[in-house]
Amino acid sequence: MTVFRFGYVAMSVHVKNASPSKTMTYTQFSKLADREAAIRKLERIAQNNLHNCLRLLRHNVAHHISFFRLSSKLIPLANHPELLDWDYIKPLRTSLAELKEFIKTYPDLRIDFHPDHFVLLNTKDKDVFSVSIKTLQMHYMLLKGMGIAIDHRCVMHVGGSYQDKELALEQFIHNWALVPHHIQRMVMLENDDTTFTWSDTLYVCEKLGIPLVFDYHHHLANREEGNDFQVNWQRTIATWQQSKLPLKMHISSPKSNKEFRAHADLIDLDMFWEFVSAVQGTVPQIDVMIEAKLKDEALFQLMKDIRLSKNVRWLNEASFELC
């Protein structure tokens, strides 16, 4: 038997006025004559974002949702080159401590991040690489502040192809030696929908001992001919052998045949069930991150669809196992 546990991304359509991603652009920041007052405004925005994270986690616990991706935009302008003197963690310690106190009350919570697309570990550009490490360091500091074990909490794509995919894969492997060990420990890699396939990503993960987060929708959009579950699934499972966390995957559905790579509002049950049927019984648990436009509503609707049409054992509002 395999338990399937659902989570969703960053924001709720049910909890109103709870965005964790409110921001300020550097243009807005620079228009404020008093720099110290402008920094205090940034800090108030970040504090409000963290407060909304706490509201979302309370909502999740109330609905037995124990898997959640935090927004990577909690601290606006955290790594802007004009604000390198700003100690953004210090004013957030109280807010982080509140989150830490809540999180430790619910030890089954799995919380992680998905850093933005500009975080590139396979770049040859030293400045881009430096900013990428600084951005991942920010995620590290947030995890530490919330008392969350850092291992395998940041899912990333391999990066850019730079017009030569094989060289780009080798560049990732080369650059990995330059990544600080504590940041290496945070990283998981995900196959993407345009460049690095499941097989490509698996190659890097096996070389470097990184867990692979399988994105089913991306796989359907970008795969080698004949590459089905039987080809790479057991090898994907093996990348998680050294992790304390269950295997993680992403699920979304195409917006339309014409816009296949775009995410739909909800999850297509038939599409998801093809995956469930193929992997059932291969691992004790799979944590499934729903990447749908309607966030937690997509989770609730998918669970309702499963309960009405499939023979499963209902564990709670956000998880099930097949009978």
Side-chain angles (χ1 to χ4, degrees):
M1 293 292 181
T2 298
V3 171
F4 293 85
R5 180 173 67 162
F6 292 122
Y8 69 98
V9 176
M11 298 181 68
S12 165
V13 300
H14 287 270
V15 183
K16 303 303 180 186
N17 301 314
S19 171
S21 304
K22 293 178 181 177
T23 191
M24 176 194 292
T25 66
Y26 185 73
T27 299
Q28 293 169 326
F29 176 89
S30 60
K31 286 180 180 178
L32 298 175
D34 187 329
R35 189 175 188 273
E36 287 303 311
I39 289 176
R40 299 292 85 79
K41 186 172 182 179
L42 283 177
E43 291 169 356
R44 287 194 298 273
I45 292 171
Q47 287 164 350
N48 186 67
N49 286 341
L50 290 174
H51 174 69
N52 284 339
C53 285
L54 183 56
R55 292 177 61 200
L56 292 170
L57 289 176
R58 286 174 173 155
H59 162 72
N60 293 349
V61 167
H63 292 281
H64 303 102
I65 300 169
S66 53
F67 186 27
F68 187 59
R69 179 191 299 167
L70 292 172
S71 169
S72 286
K73 299 178 181 179
L74 296 175
I75 309 176
L77 304 181
N79 293 315
H80 195 281
E82 298 300 323
L83 284 163
L84 296 181
D85 60 329
W86 176 33
D87 180 2
Y88 50 79
I89 291 293
K90 184 177 179 179
L92 301 180
R93 284 176 181 161
T94 298
S95 298
L96 289 169
E98 290 176 354
L99 278 161
K100 181 178 181 178
E101 189 66 23
F102 182 84
I103 290 166
K104 77 177 184 180
T105 307
Y106 299 95
D108 288 338
L109 285 178
R110 179 176 186 173
I111 295 170
D112 61 21
F113 286 104
H114 195 331
D116 289 324
H117 64 278
F118 59 79
V119 179
L120 297 168
L121 293 183
N122 76 332
T123 179
K124 291 184 177 180
D125 187 307
K126 292 182 179 179
D127 290 335
V128 172
F129 184 78
S130 176
V131 170
S132 297
I133 295 298
K134 287 177 182 176
T135 302
L136 289 170
Q137 178 68 18
M138 177 194 72
H139 289 78
Y140 172 82
M141 295 299 293
L142 287 170
L143 289 168
K144 294 289 283 185
M146 288 184 273
I148 299 172
I150 66 168
D151 295 51
H152 311 139
R153 301 290 180 167
C154 287
V155 60
M156 302 174 57
H157 293 165
V158 174
S161 67
Y162 306 108
Q163 300 180 330
D164 190 324
K165 192 168 72 169
E166 289 188 8
L167 281 178
L169 287 169
E170 295 307 321
Q171 188 67 43
F172 188 102
I173 294 169
H174 173 270
N175 286 3
W176 187 248
L178 306 175
V179 177
H181 179 66
H182 67 282
I183 290 177
Q184 288 183 0
R185 287 174 53 197
M186 293 195 304
V187 173
M188 305 167 280
L189 289 179
E190 169 195 1
N191 55 301
D192 69 61
D193 60 345
T194 57
T195 306
F196 296 105
T197 65
W198 188 8
S199 297
D200 295 331
T201 310
L202 186 57
Y203 168 74
V204 175
C205 288
E206 290 178 331
K207 281 271 188 179
L208 301 176
I210 301 171
L212 191 152
V213 176
F214 176 58
D215 190 305
Y216 184 48
H217 183 185
H218 288 177
H219 173 64
L220 296 179
N222 178 32
R223 58 177 168 172
E224 297 90 349
E225 186 176 349
N227 189 341
D228 57 19
F229 291 109
Q230 284 66 39
V231 175
N232 287 328
W233 183 246
Q234 289 299 326
R235 290 170 61 197
T236 299
I237 292 172
T239 67
W240 286 90
Q241 286 181 349
Q242 302 306 313
S243 179
K244 296 179 181 179
L245 298 172
L247 185 147
K248 174 185 175 181
M249 61 92 62
H250 292 171
I251 183 68
S252 53
S253 296
K255 185 176 181 179
S256 66
N257 286 332
K258 184 177 180 180
E259 298 179 275
F260 191 86
R261 288 182 168 84
H263 291 180
D265 288 344
L266 300 170
I267 299 299
D268 181 291
L269 176 58
D270 291 338
M271 173 182 161
F272 176 59
W273 215 251
E274 290 180 4
F275 171 80
V276 170
S277 301
V279 303
Q280 157 62 10
T282 57
V283 287
Q285 180 172 320
I286 299 176
D287 285 348
V288 182
M289 182 58 68
I290 292 174
E291 298 184 318
K293 296 294 185 182
L294 289 183
K295 307 295 183 180
D296 51 346
E297 176 57 27
L299 187 158
F300 294 138
Q301 185 60 54
L302 179 57
M303 284 298 293
K304 186 183 297 182
D305 292 343
I306 291 170
R307 193 173 192 181
L308 289 174
S309 62
K310 303 297 181 182
N311 185 25
V312 304
R313 187 164 80 90
W314 178 275
L315 301 178
N316 54 45
E317 289 180 82
S319 59
F320 72 92
E321 66 178 0
L322 295 187
C323 298

